[in-house]
Amino acid sequence: MGRIFNANRIASMTTSIFATMSKMAFDYNATNLGQGFPDFDGPTWIMEAAFDAMKSGKNQYAPSPGIMSLRKAVKDYHKKYYDLDWNENEIVVTAGATEALYSTIQAFIEQGDEVVIFEPFYDSYLADIILAGGQPICVTLHKPNFDFVKEELEAAISKKTKMIILNTPHNPTGKLFSKEELEFIANLAIKNDLLVVSDEVYEFLTFDGATHIPIATIEGMKKRTITISSTGKTFGMTGWKIGYAIANELLSTAIQKVHQWTTFAVNTPGQHAMAHAISMLESYLPEFRKTYKEKRDIIYKELKKTNFKPHLPLGSYFIMVDLPDGKFNDDVDAATNLVREHGVATIPPSVFYLKSDEGKTMLRLCFAKQNETIIEGIAKMGKI
Ligand code: PMP
Ligand code: GLN
């Protein structure tokens, strides 16, 4: 067959680094501190709620935007934790945050639109922007604190900019955007009449008293912000793929249109179980946070004993480390060597950058792993 059938817009797309590194972890029987998912199970009571839903006949299509009790549960926790008032029509339940991001970007970005993203970025932003025909414009979160330079953000905005994508708590750096940073971004969004997509999937994973601030809470931002989150992170069940987008009705209606023709609806029993899980957040969160804080402290302490220098994260379940001086050519060399020769899988973060070379000097590790797995993986890194 001489004919090339692939659409041009997928020409730059390769297998994701997460899938690549998980496959290598499997092939080399390595400790997997790469792909972001817990290697322990989520709560049994959530599984039981799903089974109860199945047994009581909740097995046919859900309404396309999501079952009412889940949308109500999302609405209620946004009121309780952030004092944000939404109505159920402003919430669209999606197949994970991944689909929420895809449907949102498809709904608003078209050929030639520019989208400002902070690098290192979560990889699906780039793919979604390209699939929509948009143009990604990167602003670097610079080492060591992963702050952005205000002038660089201002310079990234042009007449063609339509959207800024934000992720706080941030994957892969563990940064929490401060109120001052969010206000600066909000001012620019308002001044230039831009949409802001705020990916808050790690909203409840914050440490050391740091607070997560949704940008929608900043004055003037609620009507131009699309907030995205995922029950996969909060309840440690990434495989269930239940996420949502929240935005004022004009925007949520547009997102719902794409969602309708992408997945139509998300699996019904899982939605019932997650509606119940969200209603239990208050009693669930203290233990959840304690567990992850302990893991964050273990990985940091163990890394301090090695030649890799950790950047203490205030949120998410990731930690960035600097490569030891003079041992590797770059991050890809380090990640390849570690998985092949030392049996530990990590993520080389340079794939999350378009502009800066800073990613080549680091690795990302995931600490959503059993304590023994973390200790074992870092001990292997300690041999370098
Ligand atoms: N955004 C970020 C920042 C993530 O880290 C992830 C998954 N790790 C997602 C979105 C996708 O979430 P989901 O698995 O719910 O699709
Ligand atoms: N978000 C996860 C991570 O950052 C990976 C999810 C995926 O592989 N799609 O590792």
Side-chain angles (χ1 to χ4, degrees):
M1 281 203 301
R3 184 168 173 190
I4 295 167
F5 291 98
N6 287 1
N8 276 334
R9 63 179 175 276
I10 68 161
S12 64
M13 279 165 204
T14 52
T15 305
S16 94
I17 192 67
F18 309 121
T20 304
M21 292 313 297
S22 274
K23 180 168 184 314
M24 282 185 103
F26 180 81
D27 291 347
Y28 290 92
N29 197 18
T31 313
N32 192 354
L33 301 181
Q35 194 175 22
F37 65 90
D39 69 348
F40 46 94
D41 227 339
T44 314
W45 55 269
I46 304 181
M47 298 173 206
E48 279 161 1
F51 193 36
D52 286 346
M54 288 178 201
K55 284 186 292 185
S56 62
K58 307 279 192 325
N59 296 303
Q60 307 307 333
Y61 293 126
S64 176
I67 62 167
M68 198 42 98
S69 59
L70 177 52
R71 286 187 282 149
K72 186 170 177 324
V74 171
K75 168 187 130 139
D76 289 349
Y77 93 75
H78 261 244
K79 175 71 189 163
K80 183 178 160 88
Y81 290 94
Y82 308 130
D83 200 23
L84 282 167
D85 284 298
W86 303 105
N87 71 55
E88 287 81 357
N89 294 333
E90 294 175 313
I91 296 159
V92 181
V93 178
T94 53
T98 307
E99 195 236 323
L101 287 159
Y102 175 82
S103 294
T104 299
I105 291 166
Q106 279 292 319
F108 303 114
I109 297 305
E110 55 199 336
Q111 202 68 38
D113 286 340
E114 290 182 358
V115 182
V116 172
I117 55 179
F118 292 95
E119 64 175 21
F121 44 77
Y122 181 58
D123 59 354
S124 78
Y125 307 159
L126 187 64
D128 291 343
I129 295 166
I130 292 168
L131 284 172
Q135 181 72 33
I137 308 290
C138 281
V139 175
T140 308
L141 298 171
H142 293 287
K143 283 170 72 175
N145 295 327
F146 303 109
D147 293 333
F148 62 88
V149 176
K150 288 178 176 159
E151 293 73 29
E152 288 181 10
L153 178 57
E154 277 170 328
I157 293 170
S158 78
K159 292 247 168 324
K160 293 186 192 161
T161 312
K162 198 175 207 181
M163 178 186 278
I164 300 175
I165 303 183
L166 183 69
N167 170 215
T168 186
H170 186 251
N171 174 6
T173 65
K175 171 190 173 73
L176 250 75
F177 281 73
S178 68
K179 181 128 199 257
E180 200 234 324
E181 286 175 313
L182 293 171
E183 280 171 349
F184 185 80
I185 297 167
N187 274 337
L188 281 179
I190 293 166
K191 193 169 105 197
N192 295 283
D193 199 10
L194 308 177
L195 291 173
V196 171
V197 173
S198 188
D199 177 345
E200 301 179 8
V201 298
Y202 302 103
E203 62 190 313
F204 293 115
L205 273 174
T206 57
F207 313 112
D208 306 339
T211 28
H212 161 62
I213 305 168
I215 196 166
T217 60
I218 291 176
E219 206 181 328
M221 287 307 292
K222 189 167 175 267
K223 62 173 189 247
R224 58 176 72 250
T225 301
I226 298 107
T227 305
I228 288 174
S229 194
S230 175
T231 61
K233 311 291 171 186
T234 301
F235 297 102
M237 294 163 119
T238 60
W240 281 33
K241 298 292 294 181
I242 297 178
Y244 39 87
I246 314 172
N248 88 65
E249 219 161 319
L250 264 177
L251 303 176
S252 66
T253 305
I255 296 165
Q256 167 57 24
K257 283 187 187 174
V258 182
H259 166 68
Q260 173 175 252
W261 303 123
T262 308
T263 50
F264 182 74
V266 175
N267 89 78
T268 308
Q271 288 195 53
H272 282 278
M274 285 308 179
H276 175 58
I278 291 175
S279 76
M280 302 300 284
L281 266 178
E282 191 171 342
S283 57
Y284 168 79
L285 281 178
E287 190 59 33
F288 171 73
R289 285 197 158 123
K290 192 167 148 257
T291 304
Y292 278 92
K293 156 94 167 84
E294 187 187 43
K295 294 183 185 305
R296 198 276 317 246
D297 290 347
I298 291 174
I299 201 163
Y300 187 73
K301 186 170 130 254
E302 295 301 312
L303 279 163
K304 282 290 215 186
K305 300 179 193 160
T306 73
N307 290 320
F308 293 84
K309 292 178 208 71
H311 296 264
L312 188 72
L314 287 182
S316 86
Y317 47 49
F318 302 108
I319 184 165
M320 293 285 250
V321 296
D322 285 336
L323 299 180
D325 292 335
K327 302 270 182 194
F328 302 106
N329 298 330
D330 59 18
D331 62 324
V332 175
D333 181 35
T336 313
N337 179 278
L338 279 172
V339 70
R340 286 199 183 135
E341 310 297 332
H342 298 274
V344 56
T346 60
I347 299 288
S350 54
V351 292
F352 307 140
Y353 293 77
L354 290 182
K355 227 170 96 185
S356 160
D357 275 345
E358 287 180 37
K360 292 187 178 172
T361 65
M362 295 178 280
L363 288 173
R364 187 196 85 172
L365 311 178
C366 173
F367 56 86
K369 307 292 172 191
Q370 293 176 49
N371 296 350
E372 310 80 74
T373 315
I374 298 174
I375 292 166
E376 177 188 282
I378 306 305
K380 289 175 178 177
M381 291 172 68
K383 302 231 163 66
I384 304 255

